Structure formats: structure tokens, C-alpha cells
Amino acid sequence: MCANHIVLIWIFVLLYSVVKISSRFEFTNIECTSLDKKFDDFEYCYLKSINRSYKYLSLKVNLFKTPVTKVKVRGTLFKRYNGYKPFMFNATVDACRFLKNTKSNALASYFWDFIKPHSNMNHTCPYDHDLILDKLSVGFVNQQATTVLPFPEGAYFLETYWMAYDIDRAVVKVYGTLS
Ligand SMILES: *[C@@H]1O[C@H](CO)[C@@H](O)[C@H](O)[C@H]1NC(C)=O
Ligand SMILES: *[C@@H]1O[C@H](CO)[C@@H](O)[C@H](O)[C@H]1NC(C)=O
Ligand SMILES: *[C@@H]1O[C@H](CO)[C@@H](O)[C@H](O)[C@H]1NC(C)=O
């Protein structure tokens, strides 16, 4: 009986590791749109494939009304069923408050860990410079996403609205698949 349990546990561990190893994230697209060209615009925003295993996204947004002292971000995750449907969260974070204490919001903190090592946004408000996300690689996302918070397979996109002074200024959509 004890042996049976051990076998069961082994099967479970094996299955779990197989599922985890086979779950792989890929970027499929990125779209960046300024909603207020007097306030900000994208200098670049692209996905780049160096080879089969090295693919990254980079973007740079120019800010025209610096310093920016009030920033909020609304993030919504969509998953494709018959068309994309909101999935798991649709949440707004006061970015300036969050950056003062990045442990204050678990969801924001999860996504911040992806961005922080690859961005010049890694300081508290105000922002008085262009914002850069530099070479966020699919390998890094995989390392973060599949070990920390396993998601079911499928096609997703993360939509983020960037607000300054409570007005939508830009929207960034990152598309990907988990297989
Ligand atoms: C992919 O490109 C990166 C960066 O140039 C390189 O370090 C890596 O070895 C390459 N991988 C393969 C499989 O060619
Ligand atoms: C997300 O929430 C905002 C405000 O709470 C709402 O305006 C928006 O329609 C919601 N988006 C979705 C896809 O449900
Ligand atoms: C932000 O990131 C840059 C580059 O990685 C680093 O030099 C700097 O010390 C970081 N700043 C903070 C406040 O962590």
C-alpha cells in the first residue's frame, strides 16, 4: 500500500515535469499604439527572431510632456476560445504608488519581474525620460512564467493601457502562445 502510494507519487511527479517541460511560451505579435500623439509616441516596437531559440521584443516610447508624475496601467489578459475572451484578470494599478513598494500588489509584482531587468522604468516616479523595454526575450519569459505560475495551453494576449493623469495615452498588446 505504501509502495503503491510511492508509485503514484512518482507518476504524478513525472507527469507534472513532462507537462511543465513541454509547456513553452512563444511571442507571436506585438502592437503599440499611441492614443495621444501630443503626449507620447513609439519610436520603435517590434519582435525580433535571431534564431529558433532567441526571440525578443523591444520598444521605446518618447514622452513629450515630462516630468510625468501620475501613471496608471490597466492590464487585461485575453485567451482565445472562439475569439479572444477576457481571462483571469482585468486590473488597474497605480504605477507610481506600486513602484514605491513593489511588494504591495502580487499581480503587478509578477509582471514587474519580467520588465524590471530589461527596462529603464526601474525607478520611482516621476518619469522625465523616454521609456525603453530592451530585448525582453522569450527564454526569460519562459523561465519566469512556467516555473512561477503555470497557465493552461493556448493563445493569449496581454493588453495594457498606459494612463497619465487618468487619461489613456498608449496601448500595448503582446500576443503569444503557450503549447
Ligand atoms: C541564437 O542566437 C544567440 C544570440 O546570438 C546565440 O547566443 C545562440 O547560441 C543562438 N542559438 C542557436 C541555437 O543558434
Ligand atoms: C476592464 O475593466 C475596465 C474598468 O474597470 C472596463 O472599462 C473594461 O471594459 C474592462 N475590460 C474588459 C475586457 O472586461
Ligand atoms: C535600473 O536598471 C539599470 C540597468 O539595468 C541599473 O543600472 C540601475 O541601477 C537600476 N536602478 C534601480 C533603481 O534599480
Side-chain angles (χ1 to χ4, degrees), residues 12 69 105:
F12 193 78
T69 57
N105 180 318

Side-chain angles (χ1 to χ4, degrees), residues 92-105:
T92 304
V93 176
D94 182 326
C96 291
R97 190 180 302 165
F98 169 75
L99 288 164
K100 283 185 197 158
N101 176 9
T102 56
K103 297 278 171 273
S104 60
N105 180 318

Side-chain angles (χ1 to χ4, degrees), residues 167-179:
I167 297 168
D168 288 344
R169 310 290 182 163
V171 55
V172 176
K173 294 185 193 179
V174 178
Y175 293 78
T177 55
L178 202 59
S179 55

Side-chain angles (χ1 to χ4, degrees), residues 27 32 48 53-54 56 58 81 104 119 124 133 145 149 168 179:
F27 288 126
C32 303
K48 185 158 182 160
S53 53
Y54 188 43
Y56 61 74
S58 286
Y81 300 95
S104 60
S119 174
T124 52
L133 181 60
L149 209 165
D168 288 344
S179 55

Side-chain angles (χ1 to χ4, degrees), residues 23-29 47 49 51-56 138-139 141-142 154-156 174-179:
S23 93
R24 243 186 86 78
F25 178 78
E26 278 292 348
F27 288 126
T28 51
N29 198 12
L47 267 184
S49 277
N51 53 39
R52 270 172 62 92
S53 53
Y54 188 43
K55 195 172 191 177
Y56 61 74
V138 73
V141 171
N142 268 308
Y156 293 88
V174 178
Y175 293 78
T177 55
L178 202 59
S179 55

Side-chain angles (χ1 to χ4, degrees), residues 8 65 67 74 85-86 103-104 119 121 150 152 173:
L8 267 179
K65 305 249 167 96
R74 182 169 76 250
K85 304 270 160 56
K103 297 278 171 273
S104 60
S119 174
M121 289 181 255
K173 294 185 193 179

